[in-house]
Amino acid sequence: MSDTGERADTRDALREEVRALAPWFHNIDLGGGLHTAPDHFLGDYPNFKFAMFRDCVPADLTGKTVLDIGCNAGFYSMEMKRRGAARVVGIDSDERYLAQARVAARALGFQDSVEFRNLSVYDVAKLGERFDVVIFMGVLYHLRHPLLALDLIREHVARDLMLFQTMQQGSTEVSDVPEDHPFFLPDSYTPPPYFDEPGYPKMHFIERKFAGDWTNWWAPNRAGSMAMLRAAGFAVVESPQDDVFLCRVTDVPYAQFGPAAVYPAKNDMGVNA
């Protein structure tokens, strides 16, 4: 068989793998006109979203390590590899997403340099290492314990930068809030009014479904996202979009009173380390 015929057979086999793993939430360009989700209801997602904030991520990640939490089909993992990252690990708790990511990585020639593992954000301590860049996008609102997840990331795997995104609802205003909140206004029994301000940090709880998805549990407003990041020990250094934040590891507030994350590192036997 000619080289052309072999390439065609390989391409047909890849196309069949992509079809067998459908539906894909990441539309990834695998080359040769093959895309994983060409009819995505959001369009060319997440490429068009990334195009709006890609410049806030260092263009050169040579020698850096990257952890992509909730990697889905691996779009961001492979984008970081294209920027020269020495080591990229993508984790997700959905085996089909991980299978998609491995197919995409192989098609793009990254199968030997991007690792995908079945791991929950609550178990990141099992990785046993810190990463220069953590990607935590499109995950927080699916979690029943979102602040715990941020605490665990800060305590166990974040070394420097974190790229964070979450679904938000409500106002994009950000109000100044006091260091300490009184029960009442001075000389009265009137509660302080700032809790009802649009820009006060809020976390909306979704008891049932949002957009038909029962795993959409939380929707902070913009102020709420920023406050949670600060509370977990992340300083927002750039926000190229209302729902996207580039953060840097900083001191955890009130750390002198003990660790914030209640899940310690565990060894393979499930025993606290």
Side-chain angles (χ1 to χ4, degrees), residues 163-187:
L163 182 63
F164 173 81
Q165 184 273 339
T166 186
M167 175 181 72
Q168 296 178 162
Q169 294 295 311
S171 175
T172 59
E173 296 178 25
V174 178
S175 299
D176 290 329
V177 299
E179 178 69 21
D180 196 358
H181 293 64
F183 279 115
F184 306 110
L185 294 176
D187 302 319

PDB file of all heavy atoms in Angstrom, residues 163-187:
ATOM      1  N   LEU A 163      -5.116  29.821  36.277  1.00  0.00           N
ATOM      2  CA  LEU A 163      -6.093  30.380  35.346  1.00  0.00           C
ATOM      3  C   LEU A 163      -7.453  29.811  35.736  1.00  0.00           C
ATOM      4  O   LEU A 163      -7.656  28.601  35.692  1.00  0.00           O
ATOM      5  CB  LEU A 163      -5.734  29.999  33.911  1.00  0.00           C
ATOM      6  CG  LEU A 163      -6.646  30.562  32.808  1.00  0.00           C
ATOM      7  CD1 LEU A 163      -6.602  32.084  32.780  1.00  0.00           C
ATOM      8  CD2 LEU A 163      -6.247  29.987  31.449  1.00  0.00           C
ATOM      9  N   PHE A 164      -8.366  30.700  36.111  1.00  0.00           N
ATOM     10  CA  PHE A 164      -9.643  30.282  36.705  1.00  0.00           C
ATOM     11  C   PHE A 164     -10.810  30.883  35.930  1.00  0.00           C
ATOM     12  O   PHE A 164     -10.775  32.042  35.520  1.00  0.00           O
ATOM     13  CB  PHE A 164      -9.694  30.753  38.162  1.00  0.00           C
ATOM     14  CG  PHE A 164     -11.023  30.544  38.837  1.00  0.00           C
ATOM     15  CD1 PHE A 164     -11.372  29.301  39.358  1.00  0.00           C
ATOM     16  CD2 PHE A 164     -11.940  31.587  38.948  1.00  0.00           C
ATOM     17  CE1 PHE A 164     -12.596  29.108  39.979  1.00  0.00           C
ATOM     18  CE2 PHE A 164     -13.166  31.399  39.572  1.00  0.00           C
ATOM     19  CZ  PHE A 164     -13.492  30.159  40.085  1.00  0.00           C
ATOM     20  N   GLN A 165     -11.850  30.068  35.751  1.00  0.00           N
ATOM     21  CA  GLN A 165     -13.087  30.554  35.135  1.00  0.00           C
ATOM     22  C   GLN A 165     -14.257  29.804  35.739  1.00  0.00           C
ATOM     23  O   GLN A 165     -14.159  28.615  36.059  1.00  0.00           O
ATOM     24  CB  GLN A 165     -13.065  30.334  33.612  1.00  0.00           C
ATOM     25  CG  GLN A 165     -14.271  30.896  32.861  1.00  0.00           C
ATOM     26  CD  GLN A 165     -15.459  29.926  32.797  1.00  0.00           C
ATOM     27  OE1 GLN A 165     -15.276  28.718  32.956  1.00  0.00           O
ATOM     28  NE2 GLN A 165     -16.642  30.448  32.558  1.00  0.00           N
ATOM     29  N   THR A 166     -15.357  30.505  35.933  1.00  0.00           N
ATOM     30  CA  THR A 166     -16.575  29.852  36.393  1.00  0.00           C
ATOM     31  C   THR A 166     -17.789  30.541  35.814  1.00  0.00           C
ATOM     32  O   THR A 166     -17.742  31.742  35.478  1.00  0.00           O
ATOM     33  CB  THR A 166     -16.662  29.863  37.933  1.00  0.00           C
ATOM     34  OG1 THR A 166     -17.799  29.078  38.334  1.00  0.00           O
ATOM     35  CG2 THR A 166     -16.804  31.271  38.484  1.00  0.00           C
ATOM     36  N   MET A 167     -18.874  29.806  35.688  1.00  0.00           N
ATOM     37  CA  MET A 167     -20.148  30.425  35.349  1.00  0.00           C
ATOM     38  C   MET A 167     -20.524  31.405  36.453  1.00  0.00           C
ATOM     39  O   MET A 167     -20.386  31.106  37.637  1.00  0.00           O
ATOM     40  CB  MET A 167     -21.242  29.364  35.219  1.00  0.00           C
ATOM     41  CG  MET A 167     -22.636  29.948  34.991  1.00  0.00           C
ATOM     42  SD  MET A 167     -23.922  28.689  34.873  1.00  0.00           S
ATOM     43  CE  MET A 167     -24.053  28.137  36.569  1.00  0.00           C
ATOM     44  N   GLN A 168     -21.000  32.583  36.074  1.00  0.00           N
ATOM     45  CA  GLN A 168     -21.431  33.586  37.033  1.00  0.00           C
ATOM     46  C   GLN A 168     -22.841  34.053  36.688  1.00  0.00           C
ATOM     47  O   GLN A 168     -23.257  34.018  35.531  1.00  0.00           O
ATOM     48  CB  GLN A 168     -20.463  34.776  37.038  1.00  0.00           C
ATOM     49  CG  GLN A 168     -19.072  34.415  37.503  1.00  0.00           C
ATOM     50  CD  GLN A 168     -18.084  35.570  37.469  1.00  0.00           C
ATOM     51  OE1 GLN A 168     -17.062  35.509  38.107  1.00  0.00           O
ATOM     52  NE2 GLN A 168     -18.372  36.610  36.706  1.00  0.00           N
ATOM     53  N   GLN A 169     -23.545  34.483  37.693  1.00  0.00           N
ATOM     54  CA  GLN A 169     -24.860  35.081  37.527  1.00  0.00           C
ATOM     55  C   GLN A 169     -24.945  36.298  38.440  1.00  0.00           C
ATOM     56  O   GLN A 169     -24.252  36.385  39.449  1.00  0.00           O
ATOM     57  CB  GLN A 169     -25.970  34.080  37.861  1.00  0.00           C
ATOM     58  CG  GLN A 169     -26.065  32.892  36.922  1.00  0.00           C
ATOM     59  CD  GLN A 169     -26.451  33.287  35.509  1.00  0.00           C
ATOM     60  OE1 GLN A 169     -27.408  34.028  35.297  1.00  0.00           O
ATOM     61  NE2 GLN A 169     -25.696  32.804  34.531  1.00  0.00           N
ATOM     62  N   GLY A 170     -25.819  37.216  38.082  1.00  0.00           N
ATOM     63  CA  GLY A 170     -25.963  38.414  38.896  1.00  0.00           C
ATOM     64  C   GLY A 170     -25.064  39.532  38.400  1.00  0.00           C
ATOM     65  O   GLY A 170     -24.539  39.509  37.284  1.00  0.00           O
ATOM     66  N   SER A 171     -24.839  40.487  39.262  1.00  0.00           N
ATOM     67  CA  SER A 171     -24.132  41.710  38.896  1.00  0.00           C
ATOM     68  C   SER A 171     -22.650  41.448  38.651  1.00  0.00           C
ATOM     69  O   SER A 171     -22.034  40.551  39.237  1.00  0.00           O
ATOM     70  CB  SER A 171     -24.282  42.746  40.024  1.00  0.00           C
ATOM     71  OG  SER A 171     -23.513  43.894  39.747  1.00  0.00           O
ATOM     72  N   THR A 172     -22.066  42.265  37.764  1.00  0.00           N
ATOM     73  CA  THR A 172     -20.623  42.258  37.568  1.00  0.00           C
ATOM     74  C   THR A 172     -19.950  43.355  38.392  1.00  0.00           C
ATOM     75  O   THR A 172     -18.731  43.515  38.329  1.00  0.00           O
ATOM     76  CB  THR A 172     -20.267  42.445  36.085  1.00  0.00           C
ATOM     77  OG1 THR A 172     -20.818  43.687  35.619  1.00  0.00           O
ATOM     78  CG2 THR A 172     -20.823  41.298  35.244  1.00  0.00           C
ATOM     79  N   GLU A 173     -20.733  44.109  39.159  1.00  0.00           N
ATOM     80  CA  GLU A 173     -20.156  45.128  40.033  1.00  0.00           C
ATOM     81  C   GLU A 173     -19.364  44.467  41.163  1.00  0.00           C
ATOM     82  O   GLU A 173     -19.648  43.329  41.549  1.00  0.00           O
ATOM     83  CB  GLU A 173     -21.253  45.999  40.644  1.00  0.00           C
ATOM     84  CG  GLU A 173     -22.053  46.815  39.647  1.00  0.00           C
ATOM     85  CD  GLU A 173     -23.150  47.610  40.330  1.00  0.00           C
ATOM     86  OE1 GLU A 173     -23.006  47.912  41.538  1.00  0.00           O
ATOM     87  OE2 GLU A 173     -24.155  47.919  39.659  1.00  0.00           O
ATOM     88  N   VAL A 174     -18.399  45.198  41.671  1.00  0.00           N
ATOM     89  CA  VAL A 174     -17.607  44.726  42.807  1.00  0.00           C
ATOM     90  C   VAL A 174     -17.568  45.835  43.850  1.00  0.00           C
ATOM     91  O   VAL A 174     -17.009  46.906  43.605  1.00  0.00           O
ATOM     92  CB  VAL A 174     -16.178  44.346  42.391  1.00  0.00           C
ATOM     93  CG1 VAL A 174     -15.371  43.898  43.612  1.00  0.00           C
ATOM     94  CG2 VAL A 174     -16.206  43.242  41.334  1.00  0.00           C
ATOM     95  N   SER A 175     -18.191  45.590  45.005  1.00  0.00           N
ATOM     96  CA  SER A 175     -18.263  46.596  46.063  1.00  0.00           C
ATOM     97  C   SER A 175     -17.107  46.427  47.047  1.00  0.00           C
ATOM     98  O   SER A 175     -16.595  45.324  47.243  1.00  0.00           O
ATOM     99  CB  SER A 175     -19.590  46.469  46.833  1.00  0.00           C
ATOM    100  OG  SER A 175     -20.688  46.684  45.985  1.00  0.00           O
ATOM    101  N   ASP A 176     -16.716  47.539  47.665  1.00  0.00           N
ATOM    102  CA  ASP A 176     -15.803  47.461  48.801  1.00  0.00           C
ATOM    103  C   ASP A 176     -16.592  46.942  50.003  1.00  0.00           C
ATOM    104  O   ASP A 176     -17.708  47.389  50.268  1.00  0.00           O
ATOM    105  CB  ASP A 176     -15.230  48.842  49.117  1.00  0.00           C
ATOM    106  CG  ASP A 176     -14.257  49.319  48.051  1.00  0.00           C
ATOM    107  OD1 ASP A 176     -13.590  48.460  47.441  1.00  0.00           O
ATOM    108  OD2 ASP A 176     -14.176  50.539  47.825  1.00  0.00           O
ATOM    109  N   VAL A 177     -16.021  45.998  50.707  1.00  0.00           N
ATOM    110  CA  VAL A 177     -16.696  45.449  51.885  1.00  0.00           C
ATOM    111  C   VAL A 177     -15.802  45.661  53.101  1.00  0.00           C
ATOM    112  O   VAL A 177     -14.569  45.731  52.976  1.00  0.00           O
ATOM    113  CB  VAL A 177     -17.030  43.950  51.714  1.00  0.00           C
ATOM    114  CG1 VAL A 177     -17.967  43.746  50.531  1.00  0.00           C
ATOM    115  CG2 VAL A 177     -15.759  43.135  51.519  1.00  0.00           C
ATOM    116  N   PRO A 178     -16.397  45.757  54.268  1.00  0.00           N
ATOM    117  CA  PRO A 178     -15.589  46.023  55.468  1.00  0.00           C
ATOM    118  C   PRO A 178     -14.744  44.827  55.867  1.00  0.00           C
ATOM    119  O   PRO A 178     -15.043  43.680  55.529  1.00  0.00           O
ATOM    120  CB  PRO A 178     -16.655  46.333  56.522  1.00  0.00           C
ATOM    121  CG  PRO A 178     -17.876  45.625  56.059  1.00  0.00           C
ATOM    122  CD  PRO A 178     -17.834  45.692  54.560  1.00  0.00           C
ATOM    123  N   GLU A 179     -13.684  45.100  56.609  1.00  0.00           N
ATOM    124  CA  GLU A 179     -12.834  44.046  57.142  1.00  0.00           C
ATOM    125  C   GLU A 179     -13.588  43.189  58.142  1.00  0.00           C
ATOM    126  O   GLU A 179     -13.429  41.980  58.212  1.00  0.00           O
ATOM    127  CB  GLU A 179     -11.598  44.657  57.803  1.00  0.00           C
ATOM    128  CG  GLU A 179     -10.660  43.651  58.446  1.00  0.00           C
ATOM    129  CD  GLU A 179      -9.948  42.770  57.440  1.00  0.00           C
ATOM    130  OE1 GLU A 179      -9.853  43.168  56.259  1.00  0.00           O
ATOM    131  OE2 GLU A 179      -9.483  41.677  57.826  1.00  0.00           O
ATOM    132  N   ASP A 180     -14.453  43.843  58.921  1.00  0.00           N
ATOM    133  CA  ASP A 180     -15.252  43.146  59.924  1.00  0.00           C
ATOM    134  C   ASP A 180     -16.702  43.605  59.770  1.00  0.00           C
ATOM    135  O   ASP A 180     -16.966  44.794  59.588  1.00  0.00           O
ATOM    136  CB  ASP A 180     -14.731  43.468  61.335  1.00  0.00           C
ATOM    137  CG  ASP A 180     -15.255  42.503  62.385  1.00  0.00           C
ATOM    138  OD1 ASP A 180     -16.052  41.612  62.026  1.00  0.00           O
ATOM    139  OD2 ASP A 180     -14.876  42.646  63.559  1.00  0.00           O
ATOM    140  N   HIS A 181     -17.616  42.661  59.828  1.00  0.00           N
ATOM    141  CA  HIS A 181     -19.034  42.962  59.602  1.00  0.00           C
ATOM    142  C   HIS A 181     -19.768  43.043  60.940  1.00  0.00           C
ATOM    143  O   HIS A 181     -19.796  42.048  61.681  1.00  0.00           O
ATOM    144  CB  HIS A 181     -19.696  41.865  58.754  1.00  0.00           C
ATOM    145  CG  HIS A 181     -19.190  41.786  57.346  1.00  0.00           C
ATOM    146  ND1 HIS A 181     -17.895  41.457  57.030  1.00  0.00           N
ATOM    147  CD2 HIS A 181     -19.827  41.977  56.162  1.00  0.00           C
ATOM    148  CE1 HIS A 181     -17.751  41.453  55.709  1.00  0.00           C
ATOM    149  NE2 HIS A 181     -18.906  41.758  55.160  1.00  0.00           N
ATOM    150  N   PRO A 182     -20.372  44.178  61.247  1.00  0.00           N
ATOM    151  CA  PRO A 182     -21.163  44.257  62.481  1.00  0.00           C
ATOM    152  C   PRO A 182     -22.532  43.610  62.293  1.00  0.00           C
ATOM    153  O   PRO A 182     -23.023  43.485  61.164  1.00  0.00           O
ATOM    154  CB  PRO A 182     -21.304  45.767  62.701  1.00  0.00           C
ATOM    155  CG  PRO A 182     -21.295  46.331  61.307  1.00  0.00           C
ATOM    156  CD  PRO A 182     -20.344  45.464  60.523  1.00  0.00           C
ATOM    157  N   PHE A 183     -23.134  43.171  63.372  1.00  0.00           N
ATOM    158  CA  PHE A 183     -24.501  42.667  63.288  1.00  0.00           C
ATOM    159  C   PHE A 183     -25.469  43.775  62.875  1.00  0.00           C
ATOM    160  O   PHE A 183     -26.398  43.562  62.096  1.00  0.00           O
ATOM    161  CB  PHE A 183     -24.957  42.096  64.639  1.00  0.00           C
ATOM    162  CG  PHE A 183     -24.474  40.697  64.893  1.00  0.00           C
ATOM    163  CD1 PHE A 183     -23.589  40.441  65.932  1.00  0.00           C
ATOM    164  CD2 PHE A 183     -24.897  39.636  64.106  1.00  0.00           C
ATOM    165  CE1 PHE A 183     -23.140  39.155  66.186  1.00  0.00           C
ATOM    166  CE2 PHE A 183     -24.462  38.356  64.354  1.00  0.00           C
ATOM    167  CZ  PHE A 183     -23.576  38.112  65.393  1.00  0.00           C
ATOM    168  N   PHE A 184     -25.252  44.980  63.428  1.00  0.00           N
ATOM    169  CA  PHE A 184     -26.192  46.080  63.212  1.00  0.00           C
ATOM    170  C   PHE A 184     -25.417  47.365  62.928  1.00  0.00           C
ATOM    171  O   PHE A 184     -24.230  47.485  63.254  1.00  0.00           O
ATOM    172  CB  PHE A 184     -27.077  46.299  64.446  1.00  0.00           C
ATOM    173  CG  PHE A 184     -27.809  45.078  64.908  1.00  0.00           C
ATOM    174  CD1 PHE A 184     -27.458  44.446  66.092  1.00  0.00           C
ATOM    175  CD2 PHE A 184     -28.837  44.542  64.149  1.00  0.00           C
ATOM    176  CE1 PHE A 184     -28.127  43.312  66.516  1.00  0.00           C
ATOM    177  CE2 PHE A 184     -29.519  43.406  64.566  1.00  0.00           C
ATOM    178  CZ  PHE A 184     -29.159  42.790  65.751  1.00  0.00           C
ATOM    179  N   LEU A 185     -26.122  48.326  62.332  1.00  0.00           N
ATOM    180  CA  LEU A 185     -25.579  49.664  62.200  1.00  0.00           C
ATOM    181  C   LEU A 185     -25.407  50.271  63.589  1.00  0.00           C
ATOM    182  O   LEU A 185     -26.123  49.891  64.531  1.00  0.00           O
ATOM    183  CB  LEU A 185     -26.501  50.532  61.345  1.00  0.00           C
ATOM    184  CG  LEU A 185     -26.635  50.130  59.865  1.00  0.00           C
ATOM    185  CD1 LEU A 185     -27.646  51.019  59.161  1.00  0.00           C
ATOM    186  CD2 LEU A 185     -25.283  50.196  59.158  1.00  0.00           C
ATOM    187  N   PRO A 186     -24.470  51.209  63.753  1.00  0.00           N
ATOM    188  CA  PRO A 186     -24.228  51.785  65.085  1.00  0.00           C
ATOM    189  C   PRO A 186     -25.501  52.344  65.722  1.00  0.00           C
ATOM    190  O   PRO A 186     -26.331  52.976  65.058  1.00  0.00           O
ATOM    191  CB  PRO A 186     -23.214  52.898  64.797  1.00  0.00           C
ATOM    192  CG  PRO A 186     -22.521  52.457  63.552  1.00  0.00           C
ATOM    193  CD  PRO A 186     -23.561  51.747  62.744  1.00  0.00           C
ATOM    194  N   ASP A 187     -25.657  52.038  67.002  1.00  0.00           N
ATOM    195  CA  ASP A 187     -26.768  52.572  67.810  1.00  0.00           C
ATOM    196  C   ASP A 187     -28.134  52.189  67.251  1.00  0.00           C
ATOM    197  O   ASP A 187     -29.090  52.990  67.288  1.00  0.00           O
ATOM    198  CB  ASP A 187     -26.661  54.105  67.934  1.00  0.00           C
ATOM    199  CG  ASP A 187     -25.335  54.536  68.547  1.00  0.00           C
ATOM    200  OD1 ASP A 187     -24.887  53.880  69.507  1.00  0.00           O
ATOM    201  OD2 ASP A 187     -24.747  55.503  68.024  1.00  0.00           O
TER     202      ASP A 187
END
